[in-house]
Amino acid sequence: MRFLSVLFILLPILEMVVLIKVGSIIGAWNAVALVILSVFIGIEVIRRRGFRTTLRARQKMAAGELPAMEMLENLAIALGGLLLLIPGFITDFLGVFLLIPPARQLLIRRWLKVSGVKVQQTNIYEAEYRREPSGRHDQTHLNHTIDGDYTRENNDGRSGSQKRH
């Protein structure tokens, strides 16, 4: 939590310093135009790249696979777009870095490795079997089917086929 508070204090200061330096080199209005242009580019890139990644995730789900990496990529694209929307060159650089596919995938793999999270691509429709100590096979599913019969009752507790007088 302390890291975030320091980040929220230092980042705007660093952004202003970089903006002033870049403005003194290329001109103040050119620097402002670049910042505004990055906002529009960020919106367009998020829209297009996010749509493509979402489409890939839907295709994987339709094929019965879990789209774990696609979900992480969508999150990285959204974060990259958010960074492009924040005025400043440092956040723009970080946002563009997250929008470059090889850099984004490298960053996601590194984060998964450091965090210890295991992403296993499996087919969500496959039944998984495990052997119990007794030697029996147990099929584990999230979806269980229960077969049975039912009779609908009216509000007064009588069966549905009876008429009221």
Side-chain angles (χ1 to χ4, degrees), residues 35-122:
V35 169
I36 293 172
L37 181 65
S38 74
V39 170
F40 290 113
I41 291 173
I43 291 170
E44 189 63 24
V45 168
I46 291 171
R47 193 172 63 85
R48 289 182 185 209
R49 294 294 308 164
F51 178 74
R52 285 185 198 151
T53 309
T54 303
L55 185 61
R56 279 196 337 251
R58 285 185 181 173
Q59 289 170 344
K60 280 198 166 193
M61 288 176 64
E65 297 176 10
L66 293 174
M69 287 302 289
E70 285 76 11
M71 291 170 60
L72 290 173
E73 283 195 41
N74 263 345
L75 181 65
I77 290 170
L79 182 60
L82 178 66
L83 289 170
L84 280 172
L85 295 178
I86 298 171
F89 291 110
I90 296 171
T91 54
D92 288 349
F93 175 77
L94 294 173
V96 168
F97 182 76
L98 283 174
L99 293 175
I100 299 170
R104 179 177 59 243
Q105 291 166 357
L106 176 71
L107 187 65
I108 289 171
R109 279 191 232 111
R110 285 260 170 108
W111 178 78
L112 288 173
K113 186 176 181 180
V114 168
S115 67
V117 175
K118 302 280 188 215
V119 175
Q120 182 180 2
Q121 299 286 34
T122 61

